[in-house]
Amino acid sequence: MKSRTVLSMEQALSLPYATLRFAQLGWRVIRIEATRSGGGLPGDPNRYIGSRMGGGDDRRSYFIAPNVGKQAIALNLKDPRGQQVLQRLIQALNVDVFCCNTVPSRYQPLGIDYATLRAAKPDLIWAGISAQGPQVPDAPGYDPVIQAMAGYMEVTGDPNGPPMLTGIPVIDLKSGDELYSSVLLALLERAETGQGREIHVSMLQVAASWLITLLPLLDMGCQDSEITRSGNEHRKFIPTNVYPTQDGFVYLAIGSDVQWQRLTAIPRFASVANTVRATNEGRGQQRDTLYRDMAAVTMQYQTDALLRDLAGATIPATRIQDVAQVREMLERQGKLTRTTLPDASTLRLPPMAVDLMGARAELSFPPHYGAHTHNVLSEAGYADADITALLAQGVLA
């Protein structure tokens, strides 16, 4: 796969996650961060979240994983001279993709709007992530707020409890994935047409696209209980749920009547069967009593014993694993990626989403703020004296 150059004005998580996927492909990713303004810390606020890693104050634990394998420059795009630098970088480095995740109302004032950058390089792929797209140009895009706005919190958690966030920032990550895939499609189109493309990723729209099992129910005369929190049980496939055991919990999934037959053929579970429960519709009629009957069985046995029986009947089931157990499982499978800290120790990272030929399993440790400003500008043809002057003027850092 041909390597590409991505210039990304990025912060927080959604866009850094997207460009991490480009870095995993072996593409060159140069992240642009703002120069210091007012009394705040310079650059991406996520640099300063979590425990310190790798020396200095600007590479902390929350920042590390999404930003391995990248370069970093600091550029003041509020200054017209900084905007000129950006356009020169796009031309001189033959940048394929420009990305950003600031509010759309800032695109033109910062000189990063598609029309401006396309004038510098007509075949440029431009991609931005924002809360609700250009139609709502001033809305900030924060994952928990979008989770609340998009109905995720209303459908997550105990039905008798309050709305709840998901355990990971799913909308940030889904938005990053959508930008990633949209850019790949745009590059494929460009190979055929020679034309660039403008891509807007709305976090709200991205989140709503995942309501595919819920939103259509509004037009189907369904009960309100079908479109709200259901705890660990599945709304439709019964008795898919989490059940107590003698030493923990087991989650098992019944996705068809055939699987139900295999489950109740296991001697331990024979007592939960009756003629009504032979179909998923019938099991729905006895939902609450069925869950109690299932729990009464599972709590009599050790988790491992249940899992052996369920595996023998090809019933999807698992113990509830913590993150350390997941990492151990993935490491046995050789799936983890890695980076090396400045002290030469290894930091294990999540796997790539999909194994791809030529992808990079080892990525460089994230750079300090502005670590590559001088080298990148030199590559673009700036003389040392010009770079020094721009640094003195606050255009670079």
Side-chain angles (χ1 to χ4, degrees):
M1 180 183 296
K2 179 181 178 181
S3 180
R4 305 288 184 176
T5 298
V6 179
L7 199 55
S8 182
M9 196 186 90
E10 63 184 42
Q11 61 178 341
L13 181 58
S14 61
L15 185 52
Y17 174 71
T19 58
L20 167 66
R21 298 200 67 181
F22 296 134
Q24 290 171 332
L25 296 179
W27 295 9
R28 183 183 189 184
V29 176
I30 306 169
R31 65 184 342 260
I32 302 172
E33 296 174 70
T35 55
R36 186 191 302 269
S37 61
L41 294 166
D44 184 347
N46 276 23
R47 283 186 172 276
Y48 309 98
I49 304 298
S51 56
R52 290 172 175 81
M53 302 285 296
D57 189 47
D58 66 347
R59 295 187 293 186
R60 299 202 189 189
S61 56
Y62 198 76
F63 176 79
I64 300 304
N67 291 295
V68 293
K70 302 178 184 179
Q71 295 179 295
I73 65 173
L75 184 58
N76 181 5
L77 292 173
K78 295 179 181 178
D79 189 316
R81 293 167 296 185
Q83 297 177 18
Q84 292 172 3
V85 171
L86 173 62
Q87 293 179 34
R88 180 166 170 179
L89 291 178
I90 288 173
Q91 294 170 338
L93 302 181
N94 193 27
V95 169
D96 295 282
V97 182
F98 175 84
C99 306
C100 63
N101 65 328
T102 189
V103 293
S105 61
R106 300 186 67 200
Y107 293 165
Q108 287 188 335
L110 295 177
I112 60 171
D113 57 288
Y114 178 58
T116 297
L117 298 186
R118 183 185 183 189
K121 190 170 186 288
D123 67 348
L124 182 71
I125 307 299
W126 186 103
I129 297 176
S130 61
Q132 299 181 56
Q135 295 87 348
V136 188
D138 292 307
Y142 288 90
D143 179 284
V145 175
I146 304 296
Q147 285 196 38
M149 183 182 296
Y152 280 40
M153 291 184 68
E154 168 57 27
V155 300
T156 305
D158 190 299
N160 298 313
M164 186 175 293
L165 289 171
T166 62
I168 59 173
V170 290
I171 299 175
D172 272 343
L173 303 178
K174 170 69 168 168
S175 299
D177 279 340
E178 292 300 325
L179 183 139
Y180 169 80
S181 60
S182 296
V183 165
L184 294 181
L185 175 60
L187 287 168
L188 180 61
E189 290 176 344
R190 190 178 75 175
E192 298 173 349
T193 67
Q195 300 297 311
R197 177 173 285 277
E198 180 180 13
I199 300 164
H200 291 281
V201 176
S202 158
M203 296 174 71
L204 177 62
Q205 183 174 341
V206 161
S209 76
W210 264 3
L211 297 177
I212 193 164
T213 61
L214 296 170
L215 188 148
L217 300 184
L218 297 172
D219 288 339
M220 297 180 184
C222 294
Q223 298 177 4
D224 291 343
S225 61
E226 297 182 70
I227 319 175
T228 188
R229 296 182 291 289
S230 61
N232 291 314
E233 68 181 77
H234 195 286
R235 293 178 177 84
K236 299 297 183 185
F237 297 103
I238 303 165
T240 297
N241 208 338
V242 62
Y243 296 99
T245 67
Q246 284 185 346
D247 58 343
F249 295 92
V250 62
Y251 198 100
L252 66 89
I254 299 298
S256 69
D257 294 339
V258 171
Q259 288 181 338
W260 171 255
Q261 293 168 12
R262 293 204 303 266
L263 174 72
T264 53
I266 299 171
R268 300 184 203 269
F269 289 97
S271 63
V272 304
N274 63 32
T275 55
V276 174
R277 295 173 179 178
T279 66
N280 192 72
E281 183 177 11
R283 294 192 293 277
Q285 295 169 8
Q286 298 186 1
R287 176 191 296 262
D288 293 338
T289 56
L290 176 52
Y291 287 142
R292 288 195 294 270
D293 292 347
M294 289 286 295
V297 171
T298 60
M299 66 176 54
Q300 298 179 50
Y301 303 103
Q302 297 278 316
T303 304
D304 284 346
L306 290 168
L307 290 176
R308 281 194 297 270
D309 279 355
L310 294 166
T314 61
I315 302 297
T318 182
R319 65 177 62 252
I320 312 300
Q321 297 196 134
D322 61 25
V323 175
Q325 290 169 316
V326 175
R327 185 180 71 173
E328 181 181 350
M329 177 178 67
L330 292 169
E331 188 156 44
R332 288 196 303 269
Q333 297 175 3
K335 299 296 185 181
L336 296 178
T337 58
R338 287 171 165 76
T339 191
T340 302
L341 279 76
D343 65 3
S345 62
T346 296
L347 182 66
R348 287 168 287 182
L349 302 170
M352 291 186 63
V354 178
D355 295 329
L356 295 172
M357 185 180 298
R360 298 165 62 190
E362 178 82 24
L363 293 133
S364 60
F365 197 68
H368 282 297
Y369 169 74
H372 300 97
T373 301
H374 190 283
N375 288 346
V376 169
L377 264 71
S378 294
E379 183 181 346
Y382 283 90
D384 286 349
D386 295 330
I387 297 173
T388 299
L390 291 168
L391 286 166
Q393 295 160 5
V395 177
L396 310 174

